[in-house]
Amino acid sequence: AQRVTQPEKLLSVFKGAPVELKCNYSYSGSPELFWYVQYSRQRLQLLLRHISRESIKGFTADLNKGETSFHLKKPFAQEEDSAMYYCAPHTGRRALTFGSGTRLQVQP
Amino acid sequence: NAGVMQNPRHLVRRRGQEARLRCSPMKGHSHVYWYRQLPEEGLKFMVYLQKENIIDESGMPKERFSAEFPKEGPSILRIQQVVRGDSAAYFCASSLRTELGTEAFFGQGTRLTVV
């Protein structure tokens, strides 16, 4: 069965601390991996995707096929990073499905 | 392009009434997805539609819930005889395609409160 796991429901860090939001997936084939973010009172939006290998707002995510993980990282968290983050594998021709999400709280 | 538009933003219904949630996808997008977000929980897939077709409704409750995406007009998520447990935020997303790596664009959601 296809499954995506975000083990942490809440991650609280202080400003300037490193952040790692975990995502593990169990999918057949080779899914494309996305991270979506939902800031307070805003719509869900794409943060970054594996295929483009880019860094957005200081966040990066490395796909580890051996561990089937796609953890989201940022070396120095900012208060404006506080949001809900969703990992989303996509296999094409199906709807995008999301992990349960991790709420990141960055404290001053 | 105004983006994905959902209305109403907030909807209050009494138990037993019907709720109709509307979603207008981005211009040119023919794929629509509905998700439900319960308080303090993540997004749960409900249904995936293309124009006039339901492609995947595996996340939709078997009773009281239905969805359509007609040839003309917005996609509608319909909940009949609402119960308190239906209170949630309902999000719609659209995409241009479903090939690998296609980005989905989300609406701002409809918050349904059943009293």
Side-chain angles (χ1 to χ4, degrees), chain A residues 25-44:
Chain A
Y25 64 93
S26 173
Y27 269 62
S28 57
S30 297
E32 181 57 47
L33 278 302
F34 295 86
W35 276 97
Y36 279 76
V37 61
Q38 187 178 25
Y39 299 103
S40 179
R41 301 185 190 284
Q42 293 188 29
R43 67 186 71 199
L44 198 71

Side-chain angles (χ1 to χ4, degrees), chain B residues 65-82:
Chain B
F65 285 72
S66 62
E68 62 176 10
F69 187 17
K71 191 176 179 181
E72 302 290 338
S75 174
I76 306 284
L77 178 67
R78 184 181 175 209
I79 311 171
Q80 295 178 292
Q81 298 175 321
V82 295

Side-chain angles (χ1 to χ4, degrees), chain B residues 68-103:
Chain B
E68 62 176 10
F69 187 17
K71 191 176 179 181
E72 302 290 338
S75 174
I76 306 284
L77 178 67
R78 184 181 175 209
I79 311 171
Q80 295 178 292
Q81 298 175 321
V82 295
V83 301
R84 288 249 170 90
D86 296 332
S87 295
Y90 292 83
F91 290 92
C92 167
S94 74
S95 68
L96 191 58
R97 298 176 295 275
T98 56
E99 281 76 16
L100 199 66
T102 298
E103 180 181 354

Side-chain angles (χ1 to χ4, degrees), chain A residues 9 30-32 34 36 38 41-44 46 49 86 90-100, chain B residues 2-5 33 35 37 40-43 45 48 56 91 98-104 106-108:
Chain A
K9 209 166 182 176
S30 297
E32 181 57 47
F34 295 86
Y36 279 76
Q38 187 178 25
R41 301 185 190 284
Q42 293 188 29
R43 67 186 71 199
L44 198 71
L46 178 67
R49 67 183 84 192
Y86 294 93
H90 185 221
T91 54
R93 301 197 182 281
R94 294 176 62 91
L96 199 61
T97 53
F98 293 87
S100 52
Chain B
V4 178
M5 302 299 292
Y33 318 88
Y35 297 86
Q37 185 177 41
E40 303 302 319
E41 292 191 19
L43 284 164
F45 166 72
Y48 160 34
D56 181 357
F91 290 92
T98 56
E99 281 76 16
L100 199 66
T102 298
E103 180 181 354
F106 281 80
Q108 291 199 297

Side-chain angles (χ1 to χ4, degrees), chain A residues 36-75:
Chain A
Y36 279 76
V37 61
Q38 187 178 25
Y39 299 103
S40 179
R41 301 185 190 284
Q42 293 188 29
R43 67 186 71 199
L44 198 71
Q45 58 188 287
L46 178 67
L47 178 64
L48 57 79
R49 67 183 84 192
H50 160 250
I51 198 167
S52 57
R53 299 183 183 278
E54 55 195 345
S55 171
I56 304 292
K57 299 184 178 182
F59 284 97
T60 58
D62 290 323
L63 176 61
N64 186 322
K65 289 188 178 180
E67 295 180 359
T68 59
S69 68
F70 189 54
H71 303 330
L72 184 68
K73 298 177 185 178
K74 184 168 182 176

